[in-house]
Amino acid sequence: DPSASLNELFDVEVVSANDAWAVGSYSENFTEKVLILWWNGTQCSRANYASMTGSLQSVIAISPTDVWAVGYYSPSGGTWQTLVMHWTNGQWQVIASPNVGTGANYLYASSALSANEIWAAGYYREQNGTTKALAMRWNGSAWVQYAMPDPPQFLGYYIYGLAAVASNDVWAVGDVGTDDPIDSRTTILHWDGVAWSVSPSPNIGNDATNLRDVIAVGPNEVWAVGAYGTLGAYQTLILRWNGSAWTIVPSPNP
């Protein structure tokens, strides 16, 4: 724990029994700082990288020498921008990544198909405060942004999870609504190799609903998880894609 006040880890990626990465952030003088930890089979240690204001939210490994982490950072104390870091040749380095507009941009999820096909997603804020979904893909030489459609009558749009099955089969999950969680509804988007489109997803009554992660076993077996309910009384929410539709799967609430 580098900080005496606040240390957080948001994702972990295991390459082997003696090679694993965890990413997050810590507090330094009330400022959020990027945190990367490495497990060598015996102990965890902080990775060597240039200190920066920000946070890493997701990490994905292609191989022991090809690891990616995404999140957000604040260059020179300015507006939050997308942050993509790459572990290669024994060191972490920042890779240029797209940002939309002049407002804040955040990355929360990543998923990889190969060294030349990696997806990252999150959201960005327009000048009027409206949030919109953000997706980008690594093509082996650069990160390129791909537009995500806006749902009708939305006031906020967030992506938190990604799962890539194939080059023409990628899922992104999150929620739409307003900054007030009471108004949120599930959102699921699908990449068919050409464009992103909204995939109809179920909600429970008029309760606030959200999705926070997604994982794919195959093209006809995809799972998304989140919560529904009212503030202070949320219940678990699990959805399953069977190849033709998303349905709610009953889940326990201890």
Side-chain angles (χ1 to χ4, degrees):
D1 286 331
S3 171
S5 59
L6 182 62
N7 302 268
E8 296 181 291
L9 295 174
F10 297 111
D11 200 15
V12 62
E13 177 77 333
V14 176
V15 183
S16 67
N18 60 0
D19 185 5
W21 297 94
V23 299
S25 63
Y26 68 97
S27 177
E28 182 180 275
N29 298 323
F30 303 103
T31 299
E32 190 176 28
K33 294 283 189 176
V34 167
L35 178 60
I36 306 175
L37 302 182
W38 181 60
W39 169 257
N40 65 6
T42 303
Q43 63 181 3
C44 269
S45 60
R46 284 183 65 186
N48 185 22
Y49 57 92
S51 176
M52 68 187 77
T53 299
S55 176
L56 291 171
Q57 298 288 320
S58 180
V59 59
I60 191 79
I62 311 300
S63 71
T65 59
D66 189 4
V67 184
W68 294 83
V70 304
Y72 51 88
Y73 80 115
S74 176
S76 303
T79 303
W80 292 115
Q81 300 287 279
T82 60
L83 173 61
V84 175
M85 299 185 69
H86 187 210
W87 169 260
T88 184
N89 298 322
Q91 63 180 354
W92 283 98
Q93 57 183 328
V94 176
I95 304 299
S97 54
N99 289 275
V100 180
T102 58
N105 285 249
Y106 308 87
L107 293 175
Y108 278 89
S110 61
S111 188
L113 291 167
S114 69
N116 297 324
E117 188 161 7
I118 304 167
W119 284 94
Y123 60 89
Y124 68 95
R125 290 189 185 277
E126 296 187 318
Q127 285 299 312
N128 63 5
T130 300
T131 56
K132 290 191 173 185
L134 175 65
M136 60 186 69
R137 182 173 65 175
W138 173 257
N139 60 17
S141 59
W143 285 92
V144 179
Q145 183 216 350
Y146 288 81
M148 283 184 154
D150 295 333
Q153 299 180 336
F154 79 103
L155 295 175
Y157 195 3
Y158 311 84
I159 298 297
Y160 294 108
L162 271 177
V165 183
S167 296
N168 62 350
D169 190 3
V170 183
W171 294 95
V173 304
D175 58 72
V176 296
T178 71
D179 289 330
D180 182 347
I182 294 176
D183 296 325
S184 64
R185 310 299 280 169
T186 62
T187 187
I188 300 178
L189 295 103
H190 184 251
W191 170 261
D192 62 4
V194 177
W196 285 96
S197 61
V198 176
S199 177
S201 56
N203 291 274
I204 297 179
N206 293 319
D207 288 330
T209 52
N210 62 67
L211 295 172
R212 288 294 178 264
D213 206 2
V214 60
I215 190 169
V217 181
N220 299 325
E221 185 86 23
V222 185
W223 295 80
V225 297
Y228 74 96
T230 57
L231 192 62
Y234 284 114
Q235 302 288 290
T236 60
L237 176 65
I238 297 180
L239 306 183
R240 182 191 178 203
W241 172 259
N242 61 9
S244 59
W246 287 93
T247 57
I248 296 173
V249 178
S251 53
N253 286 279

